[in-house]
Amino acid sequence: MLIAVASKSGKEVDQHFGHAESFKIFKYRKGDPVLVAEVEVEKYCSFDPDHPFRHSQLNGIAEALK
């Protein structure tokens, strides 16, 4: 199983999805996660409380993590 996580520290899942500029991809098997890649993405959140839902940007992140 592959799992993508947002992490500032690289050791914990400690970052909001919308603030992430990269995701760490782990392969999880038999209780042992192994880092296999780091994928850079365009940060989704603009810190504007009224920002619109941006389908194309979310689709880009989903495609990068595919």
Side-chain angles (χ1 to χ4, degrees):
M1 172 188 323
L2 294 175
I3 301 171
V5 299
S7 176
K8 284 188 208 179
S9 68
K11 297 179 182 190
E12 297 176 337
V13 179
D14 60 358
Q15 190 171 36
H16 182 283
F17 171 90
H19 297 173
E21 294 179 343
S22 69
F23 288 86
K24 292 176 180 12
I25 311 297
F26 289 88
K27 187 172 195 171
Y28 187 80
R29 183 188 236 166
K30 297 182 182 178
D32 186 28
V34 176
L35 180 64
V36 294
E38 185 167 349
V39 178
E40 292 187 15
V41 297
E42 182 180 351
K43 182 169 57 173
Y44 181 76
C45 186
S46 64
F47 297 100
D48 174 0
D50 297 322
H51 73 75
F53 186 72
R54 296 183 294 261
H55 292 280
S56 63
Q57 199 167 2
L58 277 177
N59 289 339
I61 293 170
E63 187 64 30
L65 294 175
K66 192 175 182 184

